[in-house]
Amino acid sequence: MSAASLSLSAQPVLEVNDLRKHFAVAGGGPGRAAGLLRAVDGVSFSLARGETLSLVGESGCGKSTVAKTILRLLAPTSGQVVLAGRRIDDLTLSRLRPLRRRIQMVFQDPFSSLNPRMPVRDSIAEPIRNFRLARGRSDLEARLLRLMDRVGLPADALGRYPHEFSGGQRQRIGIARALAAEPDVIVCDEAVSALDVSVKAQIVNLLMDLQKDHGIALLFISHDLAVVEHMTHHVAVMYLGRIVETGSREALFETPRHPYTRALLSAVPVPEPAANRARIVLKGDVPSPIAPPAGCSFHTRCPSCIERCRTEEPPLTALPGGGAVACHLAGAEGAAHA
Ligand code: SF4
């Protein structure tokens, strides 16, 4: 399926088309053939200004590799990444550098982006200096103070070091650093996963406010569907390096079509105990992406598996009301809710 048919908006700021990231894996001994780990295997989506797309799935499904490949922290094996109308996957790193301003990342562990030996001021000023965004010292200072205010930290935080802050405060610093570059897109890779529930909600609300005020597009990578349900516009569910279902938040949470999506959703607690979804416990572990199962890659764990699923791979097929699903039974009434 092409990115166009998975398009979530008429004017995307980020388009990803048939993205692949494969890793060569050494063989098991002399003379043994090396394998190929297909971490990302043909992922397409688009994202508009002011919208959030959440990439969800179990750990190891390839969602973080998608993020790293889009940002060129990993070189793509093939496929296209188009940022604000400009193809960036084939640029040399020096030609990519000025465009890096437009797409920023917030990591699960803010220490990944904050130098522990650098005061917060220098960490946040770095992108402003690198991309020459400030006109002189007083403009730089004014920008730093505005950023602190924007993410809810006191001005004196600028003079302190990352270890002096709580996890939630460090994540605010990470967001301020991302925001300092005035990006079009922020990629949040499990950005709230390590936080306590109440702090998690505060950071999600901050991201939503920033999106509303600045029209930023968010690519939100998470295994936590309870958070995703609260804040996303669109969802793409990944399994073994591929998108198996995509759709609007409403469609996906209310009428999930893929058995894997239904299993993930069944584990999400709902506020009304009587309305709890029946828990679907998947058998076994996620298969190795070095040797994915033939046919539908989910068939080894799927409670609805039929004979055809073992040999025939279901294509990602557009649904009449929007979204898409890769399942032989998705069109069969009843099977989709088995
Ligand atoms: Fe399950 Fe078959 Fe659908 Fe795959 S194609 S998700 S195995 S029912």
Side-chain angles (χ1 to χ4, degrees):
M1 162 163 276
S2 71
S5 52
L6 276 180
S7 181
L8 303 169
S9 163
Q11 291 181 314
V13 65
L14 177 67
E15 290 178 84
V16 173
N17 192 7
D18 203 19
L19 188 69
R20 288 167 206 271
K21 178 61 191 173
H22 299 168
F23 297 94
V25 181
R32 298 276 300 268
L36 205 56
L37 189 155
R38 298 169 192 272
V40 177
D41 205 23
V43 163
S44 301
F45 60 81
S46 66
L47 178 59
R49 215 169 280 279
E51 285 190 338
T52 301
L53 168 67
S54 296
L55 270 186
V56 304
E58 290 163 290
S59 126
C61 69
K63 53 194 191 302
S64 288
T65 309
V66 169
K68 289 187 181 119
T69 310
I70 289 171
L71 282 132
R72 288 284 292 278
L73 302 176
L74 293 169
T77 302
S78 64
Q80 291 186 354
V81 179
V82 180
L83 179 63
R86 176 117 187 243
R87 192 169 163 189
I88 60 167
D89 54 274
D90 57 355
L91 293 180
T92 60
L93 290 179
S94 62
R95 297 192 71 176
L96 179 66
R97 202 163 292 130
L99 290 166
R100 279 233 160 100
R101 178 188 74 70
R102 307 187 75 153
I103 183 160
Q104 294 291 307
M105 191 152 181
V106 176
F107 297 88
Q108 176 174 359
D109 173 12
F111 274 123
S112 314
S113 58
L114 300 175
N115 185 334
R117 287 184 295 275
M118 230 184 222
V120 167
R121 166 187 302 282
D122 291 348
S123 283
I124 299 179
E126 197 170 63
I128 301 175
R129 290 199 179 101
N130 286 350
F131 299 118
R132 297 197 170 94
L133 295 172
R135 283 184 226 94
R137 264 190 194 192
S138 59
D139 186 26
L140 173 63
E141 194 58 30
R143 282 171 182 261
L144 292 172
L145 292 173
R146 270 202 306 275
L147 284 163
M148 286 291 98
D149 183 53
R150 199 66 200 82
V151 300
L153 288 173
D156 67 6
L158 287 168
R160 289 151 59 192
Y161 288 81
H163 72 268
E164 297 178 55
F165 296 91
S166 68
Q169 287 171 326
R170 275 203 293 271
Q171 207 51 296
R172 287 175 191 271
I173 297 166
I175 292 168
R177 183 180 153 88
L179 211 55
E182 300 179 353
D184 298 306
V185 181
I186 296 182
V187 179
C188 300
D189 188 6
E190 300 283 7
V192 298
S193 302
L195 304 175
D196 295 343
V197 176
S198 63
V199 181
K200 195 179 282 196
Q202 290 167 16
I203 299 296
V204 165
N205 288 337
L206 171 63
L207 287 168
M208 289 168 75
D209 285 348
L210 294 174
Q211 177 173 66
K212 210 172 345 147
D213 295 347
H214 300 275
I216 295 167
L218 289 178
L219 180 60
F220 195 80
I221 294 177
S222 179
H223 67 275
D224 188 342
L225 276 97
V227 170
V228 165
E229 184 172 17
H230 177 64
M231 51 86 71
T232 202
H233 299 105
H234 306 279
V235 188
V237 181
M238 285 189 71
Y239 188 76
L240 276 182
R242 295 184 180 182
I243 291 176
V244 295
E245 181 164 11
T246 184
S248 68
R249 175 186 58 188
E250 294 76 14
L252 201 119
F253 279 88
E254 283 165 25
T255 50
R257 309 295 291 265
H258 197 284
Y260 181 57
T261 311
R262 291 202 302 277
L264 291 180
L265 289 182
S266 76
V268 178
V270 289
E272 185 69 45
N276 260 325
R277 305 160 173 126
R279 181 79 195 264
I280 302 168
V281 180
L282 293 176
K283 291 176 289 177
D285 296 323
V286 180
S288 164
I290 301 173
C296 173
S297 60
F298 186 56
H299 87 253
T300 53
R301 304 172 78 201
C302 181
S304 309
C305 178
I306 55 172
E307 199 48 43
R308 181 184 174 197
C309 306
R310 299 179 204 282
T311 53
E312 202 179 313
E313 187 184 330
L316 189 58
T317 304
L319 294 164
V325 65
C327 174
H328 293 309
L329 299 182
E333 197 56 41
H337 301 280

